[in-house]
């Protein structure tokens, strides 16, 4: 179960209300975190592999700096992405999903419903990224397709089934950095089409979600071209 509480100026969501995860948050905030490796460093995102008493974990700091007005508007009508993700992940894990990385804690700085700082503590998945195994064998492609179908059965979507988010572990294929978006026929079709685009796994299912996804994509492309012709956007 996910518990919600206030810790100082942070709104915090903790798996099983475990004080151990809260302790790690405190260590991060007070610069006492035992960092093993910097996994990612970008303007908006920092990701660390950290050492804990319960083994290695991953901590992510995300501070979005672009599209702020758009994000604020979305926060008025939509549930926060990361809040949705921690609840969906917890529900999937409770029901037996072992092909995804668990999320232990989410801490956010918020103004009303708009979160402008996100701190996420996650399970560390020890494995090899698929990008390091190219060319991808037909056997692995089949297993990846099956894992995508499995997470859909747990009412989750990948949102970005790229080579960096697909891991080969001793227990088989696992997916990391999943999406907090709703699992709809369209979002499932998007997963399948991105598997085709990024991993060369051909989509063989052309259902209603597929046709809606293609229509939306074509519509966006049309609007983009119109904006370019009107000088409202660079090519």
């Amino acid at each position: 179960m996910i518990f919600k509480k206030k810790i100082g100026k942070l709104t915090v969501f903790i798996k099983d209300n475990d004080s151990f995860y809260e302790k790690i948050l405190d260590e991060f905030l007070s610069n006492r975190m035992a960092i093993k490796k910097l996994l990612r460093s970008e303007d908006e995102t920092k990701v660390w592999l950290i050492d804990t008493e319960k083994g290695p974990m991953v901590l992510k700091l995300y501070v979005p700096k672009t599209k702020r007005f758009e994000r604020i508007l979305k926060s008025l009508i939509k549930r926060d992405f990361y809040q949705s993700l921690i609840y969906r992940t917890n529900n999937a894990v409770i029901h037996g999903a072992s092909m995804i990385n668990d999320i232990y804690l989410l801490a956010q700085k918020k103004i009303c419903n708009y979160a402008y700082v996100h701190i996420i503590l996650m399970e560390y998945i020890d494995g090899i990224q698929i990008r390091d195994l190219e060319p991808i064998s037909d056997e692995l492609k089949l297993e990846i397709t099956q894992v995508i179908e499995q997470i859909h059965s747990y009412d989750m979507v990948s949102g970005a089934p790229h080579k960096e988010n697909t891991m080969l572990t001793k227990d088989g294929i696992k997916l990391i950095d999943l999406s907090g978006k709703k699992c709809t026929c369209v979002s499932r079709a998007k997963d399948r089409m991105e598997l085709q685009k990024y991993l060369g796994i051909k989509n063989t299912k052309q259902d209603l979600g597929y046709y809606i996804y293609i229509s939306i994509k074509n519509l966006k492309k049309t609007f983009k071209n119109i904006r370019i012709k009107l000088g409202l956007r660079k090519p």
Side-chain angles (χ1 to χ4, degrees):
M1 181 179 288
I2 302 298
F3 290 80
K4 179 181 178 181
K5 62 170 68 176
K6 288 288 291 186
I7 300 178
K9 295 182 179 180
L10 295 171
T11 301
V12 184
F13 302 83
I14 306 177
K15 183 180 180 70
D16 299 329
N17 203 24
D18 194 326
S19 60
F20 177 76
Y21 305 136
E22 192 173 327
K23 177 186 174 185
I24 295 176
L25 174 64
D26 179 66
E27 290 174 350
F28 170 72
L29 296 174
S30 57
N31 294 314
R32 293 184 289 110
M33 187 171 67
I35 299 174
K36 295 186 69 173
K37 185 178 181 181
L38 178 63
L39 299 176
R40 182 178 172 188
S41 181
E42 297 175 357
D43 188 37
E44 296 183 340
T45 308
K46 299 286 188 297
V47 182
W48 298 272
L49 176 62
I50 63 173
D51 196 18
T52 79
E53 295 171 7
K54 295 184 179 181
M57 295 184 182
V58 174
L59 191 137
K60 177 178 180 179
L61 173 65
Y62 176 53
V63 185
K65 299 177 182 179
T66 58
K67 300 181 180 179
R68 286 181 178 174
F69 182 68
E70 180 181 331
R71 294 178 189 275
I72 291 172
L73 289 179
K74 284 184 177 180
S75 73
L76 299 175
I77 57 175
K78 289 186 175 182
R79 187 179 187 181
D80 179 84
F81 177 91
Y82 284 106
Q83 285 184 39
S84 177
L85 178 58
I86 192 171
Y87 280 104
R88 287 180 180 276
T89 300
N90 183 66
N91 183 66
V93 170
I94 286 174
H95 287 87
S98 59
M99 72 296 296
I100 61 176
N101 63 319
D102 203 355
I103 300 179
Y104 305 129
L105 178 145
L106 167 66
Q108 297 178 310
K109 285 186 179 180
K110 305 177 73 174
I111 299 175
C112 295
N113 196 46
Y114 170 60
Y116 58 95
V117 174
H118 310 264
I119 303 166
I120 308 104
L121 180 66
M122 299 172 282
E123 177 187 5
Y124 169 64
I125 300 297
D126 187 12
I128 304 171
Q129 290 180 320
I130 289 299
R131 68 177 179 181
D132 295 326
L133 295 173
E134 294 185 296
I136 305 171
S137 68
D138 290 339
E139 183 180 357
L140 269 182
K141 287 181 178 181
L142 176 60
E143 186 176 352
I144 292 168
T145 302
Q146 291 171 341
V147 167
I148 287 291
E149 291 173 352
Q150 288 174 19
I151 67 166
H152 290 172
S153 73
Y154 287 110
D155 200 32
M156 293 193 74
V157 291
S158 168
H162 305 161
K163 297 173 185 177
E164 294 81 5
N165 295 336
T166 308
M167 309 286 293
L168 178 61
T169 74
K170 61 182 180 60
D171 299 314
I173 292 293
K174 292 195 176 187
L175 300 177
I176 61 174
D177 204 13
L178 270 67
S179 172
K181 293 182 178 180
K182 289 182 179 180
C183 182
T184 66
C185 64
V186 178
S187 59
R188 291 193 294 269
K190 180 177 182 290
D191 272 356
R192 298 195 304 270
M193 293 305 293
E194 295 214 341
L195 283 180
Q196 179 172 297
K197 180 178 179 180
Y198 295 105
L199 299 180
I201 301 173
K202 187 176 180 180
N203 174 53
T204 58
K205 190 174 183 180
Q206 297 186 358
D207 56 2
L208 177 62
Y210 166 82
Y211 289 108
I212 294 175
Y213 170 75
I214 294 297
S215 297
I216 293 173
K217 191 173 181 179
N218 289 338
L219 189 60
K220 286 182 177 179
K221 185 176 181 181
T222 299
F223 278 122
K224 178 182 176 181
N225 291 334
I226 291 174
R227 292 182 66 191
I228 290 173
K229 288 181 179 180
L230 293 175
L232 301 175
R233 178 172 177 163
K234 293 181 180 180

